[in-house]
Amino acid sequence: MLHYYDPGSQSYEAGKSVLNPDFDFGTPARVSETLVSMSIDGREIAVPEGTSVLRAAALAGINIPKLCASDNLEPFGSCRLCAVEIEGRRGYPASCTTPVSEGMDVTTQTGKLAKLRRNIMELYISDHPLDCLTCPANGDCELQDVAGVVGLREVRYGFDGKNHLDAEIDDSNPYFSFDPSKCIVCSRCVRACEEVQGTFALTIEGRGFDSIVSASQNDPFMDSECVSCGACVQACPTSTLMEKSVIEAGQPTHSVITTCAYCGVGCSFKAEMKGEEVVRMVPYKGGEANHGHSCVKGRFAFGYATHKDRIKEPMIRESINDPWQVVSWDEALAFSARKLKGIQAEFGRESIGGITSSRCTNEETYLVQKLVRTAFGNNNTDTCARVCHSPTGYGLKTTLGESAGTQTFDSVMKADAIVVIGANPTDAHPVFGSLMRRRLRQGAKLVVIDPRQIDVIRTPHADEGLHLPLRPGTNVAMVNAMAHVVVTEGLEDKEFINSRCDTEAYNAWRTFIAEERNSPEAMEEVTGVPAAKVREAARIYAAAENGAIYYGLGVTEHSQGSTMVMGIANLALATGNIGREGGGVNPLRGQNNVQGSCDMGSFPHELPGYQHVSDPEVRERFKAVWGVEIDHEPGLRIPNMFDAAIAGTFKALYVQGEDIAQSDPNTHHVEAALKALDCLIVQDIFLNETAKFAHVLLPGSTFLEKNGTFTNAERRINRVRKVMEPIAGMEDWEVTVALSNALGYKMHYNHPSEIMDEIASLTPSFTGVNYDKLERLGSIQWPCNDEHPNGMPTMHTLDFPIGKGRFAVTEYLASEERASRRFPLLLTTGRILSQYNVGAQTRRTANSDWHEEDLLELHPSDAELRGVKEGDWLGISSRVGHTVLRAKLSTRMLPGVVFTTFHHPGSGANVITTDNSDWATNCPEYKVTAVQVEKVSQPSDWQRNFVDFDKRQQDFAKPAREHSGEAHVSALK
Ligand code: SF4
Ligand code: SF4
Ligand code: SF4
Ligand code: FES
């Protein structure tokens, strides 16, 4: 007997499957310790209890025809093509909906079954256009395949009867079309939207012959609840739902597996290609972070890579008031080196620095900080994590001993209570948001701590989450109040605390947290949330078998960001929710490689692997490999660089793949700093806002044009694979190598795998990582070393890197930024699904169809007070600046709180954010700005200047963009 152990059943267990991810086994794997033995076409097989006959047959190598079944969806049993004969049973049961039973004897191929299947196919085809040769799905159509498999040769009913062939095509979605004439009403799309995506945008309307797939209330897709995730398109076995890119370009000819470059979920995709053209991005079922799901960004918004705005050649200029000159790579690098060396000679070694990119690969980030520490000879390196998750690093390292999230994403499937704090998973981490919603539909409880009502609170077919709409800036008061309930109501996990936590630190914390001033009742005035609700939330979390906390920038981007991260860790330690599946402390990292850029030593005080520059042993190890002395003093953080630039002591900056002019707070201050620099070198794919202040613009490469790795929010190192040659001829890592060589510090690598080998040799948590292993395992969650040769999905299972978990006293201190008579509203910011961060990529795709401009959301009562109507222009003033946005009335926030996104540079969202920052890490307090709002009729001064400056800079770059690329003559020699 073939004892078949179904590794697919482990997908939520170990996160690994040895099954071919490209093969469709028909129905999902079942998890069971009980094996059921049976026979299929004479083959003996044992599979986990609950497995369908269809899947068991596929596992035994027998493929039963199917149309309505797919192994990522629960079986539905509508097409009947998968009918089989079962000894002792009457009729022809559908194998997809029939579970195996002990001793079952199944036959899949008989004359009667063949006839039945042919008849079914005949009915389908009689109401289906026979345009296979010109159909865009030709060659990739399950209907076509099954017709061949069942041997359908003729259709006896003719094609003149009642049919759907004239049904109108819905082309409203920019990325896919819906052609109902080709629909076989298999319902796979409907189930994908429900089960995989969790949006429930589709239904089958009507009955029998009149059945038709309908988006929302029979709306065009674009007007429906559809969020364009693509799951239905993926599921459709015909060309009814079809990518427009395939309709235009034809079927792809080859594919390369790579990783999405948008958010910290790190979804794996198959880039399906025709030559060097990406025809479509298909979410890869073998991807451990996404299991074949995607969102509108990774799935469809890849067109920016070949957008006409791409910078294709290096450019230089002496002053930002000069037009750009196109030069060769050699000239641009020599110019940069000359400037940097000259500035250091005149103003000292510390007068220059670099900023690494969380958009770039680990290898590229590693090289930029290495360049700063070797060729520049200082530690003036920082990264955009400074402005997002630096408090995570500080707070988790202090309490748990490691600067990273503790779980896999799949761990959420074992959580009984989920607490989401200052994060919006369905918009900012959509694929994980869908997984979370799946768990909520299974009955997990939800608590959301956020000033704004986010979508996950009302998840279709799940209980409504408990929402604690706290005042911006009062997170620490809230987490302390919850911990107070845990401690004073006897909800602590004493066993965990006694065995796993430092007693002295615990006692100090316990005494503090039990004080009445931390009670929900005492904090009600501060947070604005009724004490009873806070008590209920604390009980839900503490009483759950497994309680998991997920948090985002709504936690970190505060003056008490690090305190709050420690407060969250305290709560998890006190309830013993650390060190096992279903629990943990999980920062939802923003950008694709923000975890990696922190791991790779981007911060001024830490070498790769969070090794402090002040440690002489660490410096010696790096010196042995890098061949230079490492400065023992931490360098400048980004805000310090800005201050020093304005003070005249910091003169040059190399920025790879970050748009600090748009993303950093207090734009006036940032612009003043950038203008004060003698040399700004920007390496980017577009002339972004920062590049408009630059003296050197080095063309960057997109994720499609390079090899390397990204590390996602679950510490998962995923391969990025080159699918096309870099548009400007160089991958980003090659540019950094060339710049270093031009500066006289020799670097040489043949391939990013060699850079990873160097990283592994210097970084204790990466010693076991190499490209061969990544090829073999698909992905690795660090730490990966002798102790954990294949990585470590769940952290802190037995102990903490610091031995015992350390509670920290988290005193609540009110933010300096408070509502006042002059600025009575509190502004908080966030992201929306279709755009990404500064929007440089998504704004250059059809994703802008969903979000053309940033709006100011305000409560109708605040609007009424000011006589504001939907769509009015609103002047928004804070103590540092003024901007103008259109009004959107919304009850998502309580009165007194307003909200905007920051995806469009002309919005000037950061003109009004202040440079208040986290006490420990300087992470800006983006989430709390006191503002006043009034109706206005014209843009702000800053916005008018922005338009003029932008036009001038675009004109300066025009000749360079139009340059043939042949002469490469430098006018500045
Ligand atoms: S649109 Fe596609 S997936 Fe949906 S019911 Fe029709 S054929 Fe099936
Ligand atoms: S694209 Fe996604 S959200 Fe839209 S209908 Fe299809 S599955 Fe549902
Ligand atoms: S969830 Fe994030 S990683 Fe996945 S496709 Fe969307 S943007 Fe890309
Ligand atoms: S595949 Fe089983 S009924 Fe359609």
Side-chain angles (χ1 to χ4, degrees), residues 176 189 192-193 197 199 201-202 221 226-233:
F176 59 84
C189 54
C193 192
Q197 166 58 20
T199 294
L202 301 179
F221 268 78
C226 167
V227 292
S228 204
C229 72
C232 56
V233 182

Side-chain angles (χ1 to χ4, degrees), residues 10 197 207 448 488 509 525 527 612 692:
Q10 295 290 293
Q197 166 58 20
R207 287 175 166 213
V448 170
T488 55
W509 172 78
E525 188 69 7
T527 62
H612 208 280
K692 291 171 189 167

Side-chain angles (χ1 to χ4, degrees), residues 26-27 54 64-70 75-83 93-98 124 186 188 191:
T27 62
L54 181 66
I64 302 171
K66 60 181 175 55
L67 269 178
C68 69
S70 178
F76 188 60
S78 72
C79 76
R80 315 297 298 177
L81 270 160
C82 67
S95 60
C96 63
T97 49
T98 307
Y124 275 132
C186 66
R188 270 164 70 164
R191 287 177 286 143

Side-chain angles (χ1 to χ4, degrees), residues 260 262-263 265-267 269 294-295 297-299 429-431:
C260 178
Y262 279 115
C263 85
V265 178
C267 296
F269 278 88
S294 60
C295 82
K297 294 185 285 279
R299 177 78 152 97
H429 301 85
V431 165

Side-chain angles (χ1 to χ4, degrees), residues 686-853:
F686 298 117
L687 181 81
N688 63 15
E689 301 315 305
T690 310
K692 291 171 189 167
F693 295 90
H695 306 91
V696 180
L697 182 48
L698 303 172
S701 48
T702 68
F703 76 114
L704 295 169
E705 297 156 56
K706 59 174 82 162
N707 281 303
T709 55
F710 292 151
T711 306
N712 77 354
E714 2 152 71
R715 296 168 279 108
R716 188 182 298 284
I717 307 162
N718 264 318
R719 276 283 274 118
V720 177
R721 294 183 180 85
K722 181 151 95 174
V723 304
M724 58 171 76
E725 287 306 315
I727 269 178
M730 300 255 256
E731 297 179 38
D732 284 313
W733 65 271
E734 292 175 305
V735 178
T736 307
V737 166
L739 179 59
S740 186
N741 288 332
L743 282 162
Y745 177 80
K746 294 297 165 205
M747 287 190 194
H748 176 76
Y749 305 94
N750 294 305
H751 189 270
S753 62
E754 295 176 3
I755 307 173
M756 180 55 83
D757 292 342
E758 184 176 312
I759 294 166
S761 74
L762 288 166
T763 311
S765 50
F766 272 63
T767 51
V769 180
N770 58 61
Y771 275 36
D772 285 345
K773 195 185 277 184
L774 282 166
E775 289 301 328
R776 206 159 19 88
L777 299 181
S779 63
I780 300 169
Q781 284 176 275
W782 67 259
C784 174
N785 44 30
D786 288 347
E787 250 181 280
H788 310 285
N790 290 343
M792 194 183 193
T794 306
M795 303 263 275
H796 315 312
T797 48
L798 300 173
D799 54 15
F800 294 95
I802 45 173
K804 303 266 182 178
R806 287 191 68 85
F807 283 86
V809 171
T810 51
E811 189 80 56
Y812 165 68
L813 295 173
S815 166
E816 280 175 28
E817 195 68 16
R818 272 171 253 182
S820 62
R821 279 166 71 114
R822 194 166 157 222
F823 301 115
L825 302 170
L826 288 178
L827 169 77
T828 188
T829 60
R831 292 176 178 160
I832 51 120
L833 172 68
S834 55
Q835 295 287 355
Y836 198 73
N837 210 27
V838 294
Q841 292 143 297
T842 43
R843 279 187 280 111
R844 290 178 172 94
T845 70
N847 275 30
S848 285
D849 291 4
W850 284 276
H851 186 82
E852 279 177 317
E853 61 178 305

